[in-house]
Amino acid sequence: MAIGTLLYEGKAKKIFSTENPDQVVQYFKDDATAFNAQKRGTIIEKGVINNKVSERLFRLLEQGGIRTHFVERLNDREMLTKKVRIVPVEVVVRNVVAGSVAKRLGLKEGSRIDPAIVEFYYKDDALGDPLVNDDHLRLLNVATPGVLRELREMGHAVNKVLTPFFTERKMQLVDCKLEFGVFHNKLILADEISPDTCRFWDVTTGESMDKDRFRKDMGKIEEAYQEVLARVCG
Ligand code: UDP
C-alpha cells in the first residue's frame, strides 16, 4: 500500500491519499485535545489503541448490518478507509447523563436515559461545535430532512449494536459521538469509535475509562485506554 499525500490533518488523525481515488489512509496520533482544543496533551500509545478499538467496533457494526468506511487495518497506527465526504454534523447518542447534557439541562450525572436520545452538533471549530436542531441544519444547508432522519436512525442502530457488546465486557456505554460521510451517494459511518469519542464507565467501579480522565486530570489515563483495548480486543 503506497501512501500518497497528506490531505488533511485534524486534532487526533491525519488523512493521506492512496493510489485508489476511493480510499484514504487514517493515521492515528497520540495528540489529545479537549475543550475546543484549549487543552492539549499526549496520551502515550493512544493512536495505536484507538486504531485497534475502532477496527474491532467497525467490524462488529458491519456484521450488524451497518455500513462503515472501514476497509482494513494496515498496521499499528494506520487504517485503510473509504474516502467519504464528511457530513459536518456530530451525532451524539446518549444512554446515561454525563458531560454537556448534565450541565445544560441540570440533570444528575449517571441518570439513565431510556430510550436513548440523539443530539446533533454542527461541526465548526470557530463556532465551538454548537448544539443544533434539524431546522438549524436545514437553514445552514448542511442536510435535508431525509438525511437527518437517516443520521438519527443510524445513530440509534449503532447504539443498539454497541451497547450489549460493552455490557458483556463489563463496561457501560454512557454516550458516543459518531460521524457519517457520503460514499457513492450513500451515508456510511466514518471517523473513529474509541475512548476519545465515547464515554465508558466500568460497570463494577463506575470509573471513567475514556477521555474524561484527560479532560478532568483524573490520572491513570494510559492505563484506562490500555484496559479498554484489553476488554474490546482481548
Ligand atoms: N465528543 C467528541 N468530540 C467532541 C465533543 C464530544 O468525541 O468534539 C464525545 C464525548 O467524548 C462524549 C460525547 O461526545 O463521549 C458527548 O460529549 P458531551 O456533549 O457531553 O460534551 P463534553 O462534555 O465532552 O464536552
Side-chain angles (χ1 to χ4, degrees):
M1 169 61 53
I3 291 195
T5 54
L6 178 68
L7 298 176
Y8 171 81
E9 178 157 8
K11 287 171 272 206
K13 292 190 293 296
K14 294 181 193 177
I15 309 291
F16 294 92
S17 65
T18 67
E19 64 263 10
N20 182 339
D22 265 347
Q23 295 184 339
V24 292
V25 169
Q26 287 200 139
Y27 176 95
F28 289 76
K29 305 192 278 185
D30 284 351
D31 301 356
T33 62
F35 313 118
N36 205 16
Q38 288 173 58
K39 176 171 180 164
R40 288 171 185 276
T42 302
I43 301 173
I44 296 161
E45 293 289 287
K46 170 172 86 75
V48 178
I49 294 168
N50 287 0
N51 189 20
K52 292 181 178 173
V53 168
S54 292
E55 174 195 20
R56 179 72 187 92
L57 299 177
F58 282 136
R59 287 187 189 279
L60 176 79
L61 290 165
E62 290 277 355
Q63 283 164 10
I66 291 158
R67 297 184 300 266
T68 80
H69 72 160
F70 178 77
V71 178
E72 63 174 315
R73 185 166 62 79
L74 298 172
N75 53 48
D76 269 5
R77 287 183 184 270
E78 291 174 338
M79 177 185 285
L80 185 65
T81 64
K82 293 169 188 152
K83 185 179 185 182
V84 299
R85 181 169 47 80
I86 286 282
V87 179
V89 176
E90 295 188 342
V91 178
V92 170
V93 188
R94 299 185 184 272
N95 298 304
V96 177
V97 172
S100 70
V101 77
K103 227 175 177 173
R104 181 178 307 108
L105 301 181
L107 294 170
K108 195 167 142 28
E109 284 241 346
S111 318
R112 270 210 74 80
I113 304 174
D114 189 15
I117 59 166
V118 170
E119 297 172 342
F120 294 143
Y121 293 82
Y122 177 45
K123 262 171 77 76
D124 185 309
D125 283 338
L127 297 175
D129 298 344
L131 176 71
V132 286
N133 67 19
D134 292 37
D135 286 347
H136 296 135
L137 291 172
R138 286 209 297 268
L139 176 67
L140 291 163
N141 275 323
V142 162
T144 60
V147 167
L148 293 173
R149 195 178 323 117
E150 210 179 331
L151 288 177
R152 192 173 276 111
E153 281 169 10
M154 287 177 83
H156 282 294
V158 167
N159 189 49
K160 282 212 170 74
V161 174
L162 294 185
T163 299
F165 176 86
F166 283 107
T167 305
E168 282 162 24
R169 285 155 183 80
K170 300 272 181 279
M171 297 157 80
Q172 186 172 33
L173 178 63
V174 170
D175 53 36
C176 64
K177 184 268 298 177
L178 307 169
E179 295 192 23
F180 295 85
V182 181
F183 182 74
H184 292 275
N185 284 321
K186 277 207 172 87
L187 267 182
I188 65 174
L189 182 65
D191 195 49
E192 66 178 280
I193 310 178
S194 72
D196 271 13
T197 62
C198 303
R199 285 193 171 94
F200 306 122
W201 291 353
D202 183 279
V203 164
T204 314
T205 64
E207 277 201 54
S208 292
M209 307 172 66
D210 55 61
K211 205 164 89 173
D212 269 350
R213 303 200 74 84
F214 169 77
R215 292 189 187 97
K216 301 184 188 171
D217 291 319
M218 296 164 85
K220 294 198 173 159
I221 306 172
E222 276 89 5
E223 288 87 338
Y225 274 66
Q226 291 289 352
E227 181 61 23
V228 172
L229 176 67
R231 291 199 203 174
V232 168
C233 300

